[in-house]
Amino acid sequence: MKKYAGLVFVGLCMLQGTANGADECIETINQGAGTVALGLYEQQCATMSFSSGIITKDVKYNCCGPSVAIRVNGNDWNKLIGEGKLDGLRYQKIDKSGSNYTLTFRKVVGKEPTTINGEDFFK
């Protein structure tokens, strides 16, 4: 039961925000290149993409609602997906290879994670 409490808490945190007009809450901010990776985990807005600048980068954020960063036990994740208990959950998958990051927005439909556009993260 305790392992589900964290998931419920995260879900409630994510439900606090409401989506605004799509163009109003998508922001591009020029920031120091060294802060982009840290922002993937610490910004309240979901990072959608960023440029390849060396000193500064243009970072595109979806600020249509609040988001949180969590780390999930892989066995628990697979179990909950298999049981269909994560249907409707929207999340961002961040893959790192060397110094490169790949950002993918996903939504669980039934028992299958599907890729969605970053602009649809709060819809």
Side-chain angles (χ1 to χ4, degrees):
M1 190 66 174
K2 289 181 182 179
K3 61 184 170 184
Y4 296 119
L7 189 57
V8 169
F9 175 74
V10 170
L12 291 174
C13 289
M14 293 174 80
L15 290 174
Q16 287 179 347
T18 58
N20 299 325
D23 293 335
E24 297 172 8
C25 53
I26 304 297
E27 300 178 9
T28 301
I29 300 171
N30 185 272
Q31 64 187 67
T35 64
V36 173
L38 187 59
L40 291 171
Y41 303 100
E42 292 190 353
Q43 291 287 345
Q44 183 176 9
C45 299
T47 304
M48 294 174 59
S49 64
F50 48 90
S51 66
S52 61
I54 295 173
I55 297 172
T56 64
K57 295 181 185 285
D58 288 329
V59 184
K60 187 174 179 182
Y61 292 105
N62 184 335
C63 297
C64 297
S67 61
V68 297
I70 62 170
R71 188 171 298 269
V72 178
N73 176 297
N75 293 329
D76 291 344
W77 175 265
N78 291 332
K79 179 181 179 215
L80 292 170
I81 285 276
E83 294 173 353
K85 293 185 177 180
L86 299 179
D87 184 37
L89 178 73
R90 291 167 293 192
Y91 63 97
Q92 181 180 39
K93 185 176 184 216
I94 302 171
D95 292 310
K96 183 180 180 205
S97 177
S99 61
N100 296 318
Y101 290 87
T102 303
L103 309 175
T104 308
F105 286 89
R106 313 276 287 175
K107 180 178 181 179
V108 179
V109 178
K111 296 181 180 182
E112 295 295 321
T114 59
T115 300
I116 60 173
N117 291 326
E119 291 84 0
D120 297 333
F121 187 61
F122 292 103
K123 292 181 181 177

